[in-house]
């Protein structure tokens, strides 16, 4: 079993509008098994397009124009994601790669209990499970993310923003995927709740060993939680290095500029200088 | 000179099923001309209730707010004159501008309503305000959707400045903007505060920018002020456990990497 989980090569996406927009340009990177890879950049840099693109979640007018994405499954099989048929892709998604979306408050169905929404995952992907087994699995998931199994009959509006985001994480965790893609998972939450959720993501990663692609524009936060960070600008990765290296010894001018847009919390008053 | 006094203000909301909720509990502070006070705290701590009471969108249950020593008039032209002197900049520059109207319309409206300048000087005044917020004159005939988030927030600031207020209340003015333009907007607010002697109330959950841009910081928790002081005192030497908790939760790569290299140094 190799150390890599995902190999992305020469990956390009355009938005086929008039004139066409080159959103992601010839990106190459390798995601390692069990690592948290931060994806940082400003609005419009292509970070979300890239993260959605590798799971084939983009819809028209987005078109993948080149490249390959190979998933190195724990079983030893190499799966070429771009070559999967419709049904194989449906089974692949969520089973191998799951996703935590930004607006937890909007991502859940307001008129269904959180328990029934979690059960849906099993109903679709694990059709052989009995009702009782599904319920048991849901209670276990809610316990793992510390919402508590007794809350399975709650509706989304009865939970706080942080709790709803935990439910989304439980849902992403349901099938024990090997990769979780998280798109600004804590941006809408306040600092204290954000910190709890980050701690939990990191604990779960240690326990279950999945990899994480963590998208955000909050570079200070990313520096603390990522193993490696990719800095994106105008559809390209301008720098990819360990968090420590990005902080202590950034190479690219844009990385330096991004770092220096943050005032320092402690130390001498002023901006981060690199 | 003391501009604004927020004096022992308590605000109680009655919520059906939940009884009474004290959003603000005996909160007092004063704001001077040319001063920026940062108000920090987590969601629900009462930060925005302060802004609502200052703008009289809500009235205080008890306590008093005074501008230049005079209580806020409850209604009529007195309240309008008060609101000319205290203006808001809101969080969401996409929602706070009317998509049907040009930038010029947004800025002219307070100029006309408050009769800031004679009619024949409107055009020149719009130009002056746009320059003040570092927008090109050509922006006047654009509509909000043609502008970026940062440009829209500059329009919102120009609109707030139109009535020549003494105080700006900025409620999370940059949290929806891209990181690289946040500083530009905050620097603009800080220039205005210095050059025009504005009093600024900067409401935010971001401790790093609060430290950078405020003279003083007030920490709110469950409607109470738990700590206050100069920006550096509150952030670098927090004395209340709640402030300490907020600081510990805020990303601080500097400290993070310092502690890692300390640990590695110790292990060697």
């Amino acid at each position: 079993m190799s150390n890599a989980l995902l190999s992305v090569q020469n990956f390009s996406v355009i938005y086929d509008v008039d004139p066409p927009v080159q959103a992601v340009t010839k990106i190459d990177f390798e995601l390692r098994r069990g690592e948290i890879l931060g994806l940082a950049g400003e609005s419009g840099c292509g970070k979300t397009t890239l993260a959605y693109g590798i799971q084939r979640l983009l819809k028209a007018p987005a078109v993948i124009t080149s490249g390959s994405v190979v998933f190195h499954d724990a079983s030893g099989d190499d799966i070429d994601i771009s070559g999967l048929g419709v049904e194989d892709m449906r089974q692949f998604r969520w089973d191998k790669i799951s996703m935590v979306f930004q607006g937890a408050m909007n991502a859940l169905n307001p008129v269904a209990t959180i328990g029934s929404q979690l059960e849906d995952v099993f109903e679709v992907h694990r059709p052989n499970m009995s009702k009782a087994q599904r319920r048991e699995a849901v209670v276990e998931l809610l316990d793992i993310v510390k919402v508590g199994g007794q809350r399975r009959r709650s509706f989304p509006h009865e939970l706080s923003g942080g709790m709803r985001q935990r439910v989304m994480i439980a849902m992403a965790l349901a099938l024990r995927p090997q990769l979780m893609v998280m798109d600004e998972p804590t941006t809408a939450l306040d600092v204290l709740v954000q910190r709890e959720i980050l701690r939990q993501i990191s604990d779960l990663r240690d326990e279950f060993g999945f990899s994480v692609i963590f998208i955000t524009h909050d570079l200070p936060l990313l520096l603390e939680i990522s193993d490696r960070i990719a800095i994106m600008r105008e559809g390209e990765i301008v720098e990819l290095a360990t968090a420590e290296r990005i902080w202590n010894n950034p190479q690219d001018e844009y990385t330096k500029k991004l770092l220096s847009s943050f005032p320092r919390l402690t130390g001498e008053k002023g901006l981060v200088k690199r | 000179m003391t501009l604004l006094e927020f004096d022992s203000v308590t605000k109680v909301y009655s919520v059906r099923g939940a009884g009474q909720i004290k959003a603000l509990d005996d909160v007092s502070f004063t704001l001077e001309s040319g001063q920026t006070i940062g108000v920090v705290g987590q969601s629900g701590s009462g930060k925005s209730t302060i802004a609502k009471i200052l703008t009289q969108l809500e009235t205080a249950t008890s306590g008093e707010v005074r501008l230049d020593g005079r209580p806020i008039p409850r209604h009529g032209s007195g309240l309008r004159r008060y609101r000319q002197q205290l203006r808001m900049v809101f969080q969401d520059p996409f929602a706070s501008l009317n998509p049907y109207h040009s930038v010029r319309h947004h800025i002219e409206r307070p100029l006309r309503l408050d009769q800031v300048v004679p009619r024949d000087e409107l055009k020149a005044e719009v130009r002056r305000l746009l320059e003040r917020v570092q927008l090109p004159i050509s922006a006047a005939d654009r509509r909000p959707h043609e502008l970026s988030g940062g440009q829209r927030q500059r329009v919102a600031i120009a609109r707030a400045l139109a009535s020549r207020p003494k105080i700006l209340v900025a409620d999370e003015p940059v949290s929806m903007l891209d990181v690289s333009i946040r500083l530009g907007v905050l620097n603009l607010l800080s220039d205005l505060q210095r050059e025009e002697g504005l009093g600024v109330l900067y409401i935010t959950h971001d401790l790093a920018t609060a430290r950078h841009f405020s003279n003083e910081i007030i920490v709110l928790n469950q409607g109470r002020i738990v700590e206050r002081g100069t920006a550096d005192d509150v952030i670098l030497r927090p004395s209340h456990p709640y402030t300490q908790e907020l600081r510990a939760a805020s990303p601080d790569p500097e400290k993070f990497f310092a502690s890692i290299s300390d640990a590695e140094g110790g292990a060697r």
Side-chain angles (χ1 to χ4, degrees):
Chain A
M1 195 165 87
S2 82
N3 188 28
L5 177 67
L6 199 69
S7 304
V8 177
Q9 269 175 353
N10 196 30
F11 193 74
S12 302
V13 179
I14 63 165
Y15 284 97
D16 193 11
V17 288
D18 193 27
V21 178
Q22 183 84 42
V24 170
T25 313
K26 294 185 176 168
I27 278 189
D28 295 296
F29 72 93
E30 205 160 74
L31 178 73
R32 297 173 189 159
R33 215 171 282 281
E35 88 169 329
I36 298 185
L37 177 73
L39 205 51
E42 298 183 71
S43 318
C45 73
K47 55 189 193 297
T48 300
T49 303
L50 172 64
Y52 279 51
I54 56 178
Q55 312 171 60
R56 285 175 48 194
L57 279 175
L58 295 169
K59 41 183 188 188
V63 182
I64 296 171
T65 52
S66 75
S68 71
V69 181
V70 177
F71 185 88
H72 308 286
D73 193 56
S75 68
D77 296 342
D78 284 350
I79 303 170
D80 178 2
I81 297 182
S82 42
L84 290 177
V86 176
E87 179 56 26
D88 287 340
M89 191 68 217
R90 195 188 64 73
Q91 284 184 9
F92 178 85
R93 262 191 214 126
W94 223 260
D95 220 326
K96 309 284 186 196
I97 304 182
S98 67
M99 176 99 203
V100 177
F101 298 93
Q102 177 176 7
M105 18 302 275
N106 310 324
L108 289 164
N109 182 346
V111 296
T113 63
I114 57 168
S116 74
Q117 295 182 60
L118 285 167
E119 276 188 48
D120 283 349
V121 177
F122 296 111
E123 217 170 313
V124 172
H125 285 272
R126 300 284 183 268
N128 296 330
M129 281 171 81
S130 70
K131 206 173 162 63
Q133 284 172 321
R134 287 202 298 265
R135 183 156 304 162
E136 198 181 321
V138 165
V139 169
E140 188 199 340
L141 277 173
L142 288 172
D143 284 338
I144 289 175
V145 298
K146 301 199 172 70
V147 168
Q150 74 282 3
R151 298 302 294 266
R152 68 188 167 83
R153 287 200 187 83
S154 297
F155 287 92
H157 75 269
E158 296 173 306
L159 304 175
S160 67
M163 298 255 261
R164 279 181 290 204
Q165 195 56 293
R166 284 169 203 271
V167 173
M168 293 307 293
I169 292 172
M171 199 178 279
L173 192 65
L175 306 176
R176 304 291 189 266
Q178 294 166 56
L179 168 60
M180 265 193 215
V181 178
M182 303 190 161
D183 188 8
E184 305 264 9
T186 61
T187 307
L189 306 171
D190 76 51
V191 279
L192 296 178
V193 182
Q194 166 171 293
R195 182 57 69 176
E196 283 169 31
I197 301 263
L198 293 175
R199 209 166 279 151
Q200 182 157 59
I201 291 171
S202 160
D203 289 349
L204 290 172
R205 191 269 308 247
D206 293 346
E207 188 178 343
F208 297 103
F210 52 79
S211 307
V212 177
I213 294 180
F214 195 107
I215 308 171
T216 181
H217 59 263
D218 190 344
L219 197 49
L221 179 146
L222 213 48
L223 283 162
E224 289 189 10
I225 60 156
S226 310
D227 299 309
R228 293 190 304 157
I229 295 177
I231 307 281
M232 278 189 77
R233 184 192 191 197
E234 291 175 10
E236 296 181 40
I237 292 180
V238 297
E239 187 163 1
L240 175 68
T242 62
E244 199 174 355
R245 200 172 161 79
I246 294 274
W247 172 254
N248 284 321
N249 193 12
Q251 299 298 310
D252 189 81
E253 283 311 309
Y254 181 69
T255 309
K256 293 179 193 173
K257 180 181 163 244
L258 216 51
L259 282 167
S260 64
S261 9
F262 293 94
R264 298 160 74 173
L265 180 66
T266 52
E268 204 176 314
K269 202 164 181 162
L271 304 174
V272 174
K273 285 198 193 76
R274 284 291 176 264
Chain B
M1 189 186 76
T2 299
L3 196 58
L4 182 80
E5 294 163 87
F6 206 78
D7 185 4
S8 320
V9 173
T10 296
K11 174 69 190 176
V12 180
Y13 289 106
S14 297
V15 179
R16 198 162 35 142
Q20 298 202 311
I21 290 172
K22 248 188 200 176
L24 289 179
D25 189 356
D26 195 22
V27 169
S28 301
F29 62 88
T30 60
L31 179 66
E32 328 255 319
S33 309
Q35 183 193 28
T36 298
I37 294 187
V39 181
V40 302
Q42 71 188 112
S43 313
S45 60
K47 302 191 297 285
S48 294
T49 305
I50 291 182
K52 284 181 189 160
I53 288 175
L54 281 175
T55 46
Q56 284 293 290
L57 295 171
E58 296 283 357
T59 49
T61 310
S62 68
E64 194 170 68
V65 179
R66 289 184 293 273
L67 183 67
D68 289 328
R70 285 185 297 274
I72 307 181
R74 280 297 160 90
H75 36 67
S77 59
L79 177 58
R80 231 176 87 181
R81 269 196 300 279
Y82 165 81
R83 282 182 175 153
Q84 278 177 35
Q85 302 184 59
L86 181 143
R87 290 279 163 174
M88 281 285 294
V89 177
F90 297 95
Q91 178 171 13
D92 186 349
F94 299 85
S96 68
L97 300 177
N98 187 330
Y100 285 107
H101 291 300
S102 66
V103 167
R104 180 186 306 285
H105 174 94
H106 282 92
I107 300 176
E108 267 188 11
R109 209 169 147 74
L111 291 173
R112 284 169 190 271
L113 288 172
D114 295 338
Q115 295 171 3
V116 183
V117 292
R119 269 177 158 263
D120 56 349
E121 287 173 28
L122 279 176
K123 217 168 174 171
E125 184 66 7
V126 170
R127 176 185 284 261
R128 187 189 73 84
L129 285 162
L130 286 174
E131 276 171 8
R132 196 71 195 85
V133 297
Q134 294 145 23
L135 281 176
I137 310 304
S138 59
D141 298 307
R142 298 279 175 88
R143 292 202 203 165
H145 72 88
E146 297 176 85
L147 304 177
S148 70
Q151 289 174 322
R152 283 185 232 203
Q153 204 58 311
R154 287 174 194 271
V155 171
I157 294 171
R159 173 177 61 183
L161 291 176
S163 317
R164 304 192 179 165
K166 295 176 175 166
I167 296 171
L168 278 189
V169 178
D171 191 353
E172 298 277 14
V174 297
S175 64
M176 296 193 58
L177 305 181
D178 244 332
V179 282
S180 67
I181 53 176
R182 285 184 186 179
L183 277 183
V185 171
L186 288 171
N187 280 330
L188 170 64
L189 285 173
S190 120
D191 291 347
L192 293 168
Q193 169 243 315
R194 233 185 6 257
E195 290 160 20
E196 315 217 344
L198 280 174
V200 177
L201 201 67
Y202 175 42
I203 299 176
T204 184
H205 66 271
D206 180 8
L207 296 194
T209 56
R211 174 184 178 219
H212 195 69
F213 288 97
S214 314
N215 307 103
E216 278 181 32
I217 290 180
I218 291 174
V219 184
L220 273 182
N221 183 23
Q222 298 183 354
R224 281 170 183 271
I225 294 181
V226 296
E227 185 159 358
R228 66 171 82 202
T230 65
D232 271 3
D233 274 341
V234 170
I235 304 297
L236 299 182
R237 295 170 285 278
S239 59
H240 193 278
Y242 179 73
T243 318
Q244 291 163 355
E245 201 183 329
L246 273 184
R247 205 192 85 174
S250 300
D252 185 3
E254 204 151 352
K255 225 177 139 194
F256 178 76
F257 288 111
S259 69
I260 285 184
S261 57
D262 280 358
E264 283 172 354
R268 263 178 220 137

